[in-house]
Amino acid sequence: MVQQFRDTPADLPVLATATPFAGNKTSVRTDDIRFPDGSVARRDYQVHPGSVAVLALDERDRVAVLSQYRHPVRHKLWEIPAGLLDIPGENPLHAAQRELYEEAHLKAEDWRVLADVYTTPGGCDEAVRIFLAREVSAADGERYAVTGEEADMQHALVPLADLVRGVLAGELHNNCLVVGVLALQAARAGDGLDALRPADAPWPARPYPA
């Protein structure tokens, strides 16, 4: 019998909690937690609303990517379109469709869930749902107006195989891009893309109304 490996919920007792910093979109929380052996430890972590990301694949097996400056790591990173779940309880598919339009001026007819990940579970509660979008075409209307760090974005359609090589060569580092392209390769090598979860699959990390 094949053993099933899956992550399971756990909720250790929180003896005290505080929020030493509250920002515009995220905050920092400090919790004192008790472990099963009775010991107590303090953990500081970022509280995050969650995110969505979109691996948009065209009919020539190219992926829509963009280059954006990320100040904490002092790099311009090639990424797939992504954004915060700004509206509490928002359907993540709707958020992903919005981000694909705003960041890449694209729309797609076929949507699947590619992967769900916690980006940095040791220090942040951010959960990201990565979608696969196919049957891609240009969005209607004018491009979404961008400012600040987004105004300097570069856009490209890059063959999937080139992105896979870049990930394995250590040349591409954005976590959603890395997980997305490797998950896509794995899905193709396994049961195929049509076997991926539907776009409205349950997401316990960020529940939303049906």
Side-chain angles (χ1 to χ4, degrees):
M1 180 178 179
V2 178
Q3 184 176 358
Q4 296 294 316
F5 289 94
R6 62 181 61 192
D7 299 331
T8 55
D11 195 5
L12 297 181
V14 177
L15 307 181
T17 187
T19 304
F21 171 79
N24 185 33
K25 297 294 185 181
T26 67
S27 60
V28 174
R29 183 174 296 163
T30 298
D31 288 345
D32 292 339
I33 56 176
R34 178 183 289 129
F35 291 102
D37 66 357
S39 63
V40 176
R42 176 163 292 177
R43 294 290 182 264
D44 302 315
Y45 59 100
Q46 183 185 24
V47 178
H48 194 285
S51 306
V52 291
V54 185
L55 194 154
L57 188 70
D58 74 5
E59 72 283 355
R60 295 169 57 185
D61 216 37
R62 299 177 302 177
V63 176
V65 295
L66 53 95
S67 177
Q68 186 171 359
Y69 175 66
R70 295 301 188 182
H71 186 69
V73 295
R74 307 302 199 273
H75 271 71
K76 289 190 72 174
L77 301 179
W78 284 103
E79 307 178 353
I80 56 177
L84 298 176
L85 290 168
D86 291 310
I87 304 170
E90 182 179 19
N91 185 312
L93 174 60
H94 298 165
Q97 291 169 333
R98 180 185 68 241
E99 294 299 330
L100 184 61
Y101 159 70
E102 291 182 359
E103 294 198 343
H105 199 64
L106 295 173
K107 62 182 180 180
E109 299 301 321
D110 186 89
W111 291 82
R112 310 274 173 158
V113 175
L114 196 50
D116 296 328
V117 297
Y118 290 115
T119 55
T120 49
C124 179
D125 71 352
E126 181 184 14
V128 180
R129 169 156 282 190
I130 304 173
F131 289 91
L132 171 65
R134 294 183 292 175
E135 299 179 31
V136 175
S137 61
D140 301 325
E142 298 294 324
R143 276 192 172 273
Y144 181 79
V146 295
T147 59
E149 63 186 10
E150 294 183 345
D152 192 37
M153 282 182 179
Q154 295 175 266
H155 295 80
L157 288 168
V158 181
L160 175 65
D162 290 349
L163 295 177
V164 172
R165 283 192 290 269
V167 169
L168 298 180
E171 298 168 349
L172 298 170
H173 307 90
N174 174 263
N175 54 6
C176 291
L177 184 148
V178 170
V179 172
V181 300
L182 297 184
L184 179 57
Q185 284 287 84
R188 282 179 164 171
D191 296 330
L193 301 188
D194 290 336
L196 291 169
R197 287 173 292 161
D200 61 353
W203 189 19
R206 292 294 184 274
Y208 58 95

